Amino acid sequence: MQAAKKHHYLPVFYLKQWALQPGEKLVEFSRPFGPKVKARRVHPSGTGYVNRLYASELTEAGAWEMERDFFSPVDSRAADAMRRLISGAALSDADRQAWATFVVSLMCRMPEDVPVVKEMRKQVILMFAPAFRRLFDASRPAEETRTFEQLTSEVMETVPDKALVTLKKIITNEKLIDMLCDMQWTVMSLSADHELLTSDRPVTYTKGLNGDHSHIVLPVGPRDLFIAARNPTMLKRYAALPKLESMANQKAVEQASKLVYGSSERQLRFVQNRMSRDKEPQLMQRLLALQAAQAPSFLEVMNSIPLDIIPEDRLDA
């Protein structure tokens, strides 16, 4: 079977919410030729994708597996959960798991996230190579003819598909998913005065998800805003905000990478004045920084391992 070329980082089922009638188009805001924002009508399937996105960073097999075997089921389950969520129907545990997994995926599946996952794998190899070399030199089997540099190069060649594994583990991390599922959820239906916008960075969330003020905000349509909060009082605060639509739109537009979406062109000026103005580090960038910060402690442990615990017959004089 031929691999699909369109790899949607913003699923069609999600973008369809801004195409108000079946078969209609939504409005895509972008800066194709410079600082000026342009608006164009586009079908939900005709945007929010990169041709062979994962193939550019992963092997062909890995890219095909990522799109067909991983993201497709994640999105399909989330589409069903979203319909029930917006309608106010009761959610099963499976629905909550599916929706939480989808929300996490939106935090780390965008085009600029994929190279960061690869960089995380490379960083691990390069940072820890000196410590592993010490152990390799002490325990190298007599029949091993490869140099440490050759072995390191071979490990580097596995980075693309290992990055695939890393991305999957982050999206399906049980601790993170459980944190979201344990939050209080609501979908607020907002007034028709200002339609909600979304973007290629649609999720707004606090740096920590386990504190009293932790919350997650995600537009799920031009009138519907999904909010999850650790403390129920946060939901009441959001409900009482007089300009909640403007606040939600400001965050979605300011943190956008390249694309903003709406159901009409009414807010072109709003997007022009705010698009990509406040791009804070996203989840993958935060994880990369955290990994680098923790590396010295790991290296200290590795370098403290006494070489005399290695059997003498493994030592190469």
Side-chain angles (χ1 to χ4, degrees):
M1 185 181 296
Q2 185 178 4
K5 291 184 178 180
K6 288 185 179 181
H7 291 168
H8 282 88
Y9 50 89
L10 286 170
V12 175
F13 87 85
Y14 176 71
L15 292 178
K16 274 183 178 180
Q17 296 298 110
W18 279 264
L20 300 182
Q21 297 295 329
E24 282 192 1
K25 297 178 179 180
L26 74 164
V27 175
E28 173 199 273
F29 299 94
S30 66
R31 289 190 173 114
F33 307 115
K36 188 173 182 179
V37 172
K38 298 287 187 180
R40 68 167 185 142
R41 286 278 175 179
V42 60
H43 191 273
S45 65
T47 185
Y49 72 89
V50 171
N51 282 331
R52 304 176 73 247
L53 166 61
Y54 305 109
S56 66
E57 299 294 340
L58 309 173
T59 64
E60 286 289 345
W64 179 226
E65 178 187 350
M66 197 70 178
E67 182 72 7
R68 181 199 62 186
D69 297 338
F70 183 72
F71 277 126
S72 181
V74 166
D75 295 343
S76 178
R77 290 189 289 265
D80 293 336
M82 188 178 74
R83 283 192 289 270
R84 284 187 278 273
L85 191 64
I86 294 175
S87 70
L91 299 181
S92 66
D93 289 343
D95 290 331
R96 291 181 71 86
Q97 288 277 335
W99 184 247
T101 302
F102 174 68
V103 173
V104 174
S105 80
L106 291 180
M107 298 178 184
C108 53
R109 69 191 283 182
M110 302 303 149
E112 63 268 32
D113 291 325
V114 181
V116 178
V117 185
K118 283 184 65 176
E119 182 60 30
M120 288 177 68
R121 299 296 307 191
K122 290 180 180 178
Q123 186 185 78
V124 169
I125 296 170
L126 295 176
M127 286 192 306
F128 300 156
F132 283 114
R133 177 161 200 156
R134 172 176 171 267
L135 299 176
F136 173 80
D137 290 342
S139 60
R140 180 177 179 175
E143 65 273 13
E144 179 58 72
T145 60
R146 293 168 296 179
T147 65
F148 183 78
E149 288 74 17
Q150 288 173 324
L151 288 172
T152 302
S153 178
E154 290 178 12
V155 173
M156 279 290 193
E157 291 176 1
T158 70
V159 163
D161 283 337
K162 291 295 184 182
L164 167 70
V165 174
T166 299
L167 185 56
K168 287 181 179 179
K169 286 183 177 180
I170 293 171
I171 293 173
T172 59
N173 181 276
E174 289 187 7
K175 184 176 180 180
L176 187 54
I177 299 301
D178 288 345
M179 280 186 184
L180 267 68
C181 287
D182 289 341
M183 287 181 166
Q184 301 292 315
W185 292 6
T186 189
V187 173
M188 294 185 180
S189 296
L190 307 179
S191 71
D193 293 339
H194 296 286
E195 69 174 30
L196 286 169
L197 302 170
T198 192
S199 71
D200 54 5
R201 284 293 181 189
V203 186
T204 300
Y205 54 99
T206 50
K207 291 183 179 180
L209 295 179
N210 207 25
D212 285 342
H213 299 288
S214 299
H215 60 274
I216 295 172
V217 178
L218 172 66
V220 290
R223 301 285 178 264
D224 297 311
L225 188 66
F226 169 78
I227 303 176
R230 176 66 51 195
N231 191 328
T233 59
M234 289 296 297
L235 299 181
K236 295 179 181 179
R237 290 181 185 178
Y238 268 105
L241 289 173
K243 296 183 178 180
L244 181 56
E245 297 98 330
S246 296
M247 292 179 61
N249 283 345
Q250 182 171 333
K251 293 300 294 184
V253 174
E254 286 186 343
Q255 67 191 16
S257 180
K258 294 182 179 179
L259 299 171
V260 172
Y261 298 97
S263 58
S264 72
E265 300 180 13
R266 289 170 53 193
Q267 300 192 69
L268 175 60
R269 184 175 178 181
F270 181 93
V271 176
Q272 175 68 64
N273 292 337
R274 294 166 178 80
M275 186 170 177
S276 306
R277 193 174 68 182
D278 186 19
K279 295 176 65 175
E280 297 181 357
Q282 297 297 314
L283 178 62
M284 298 309 304
Q285 295 167 315
R286 294 176 184 176
L287 291 177
L288 182 62
L290 178 63
Q291 178 177 276
Q294 293 178 339
S297 298
F298 181 87
L299 287 173
E300 183 178 353
V301 172
M302 290 291 295
N303 288 325
S304 68
I305 298 175
L307 297 180
D308 57 8
I309 68 172
I310 302 173
E312 290 186 3
D313 60 357
R314 295 293 304 278
L315 294 175
D316 184 9

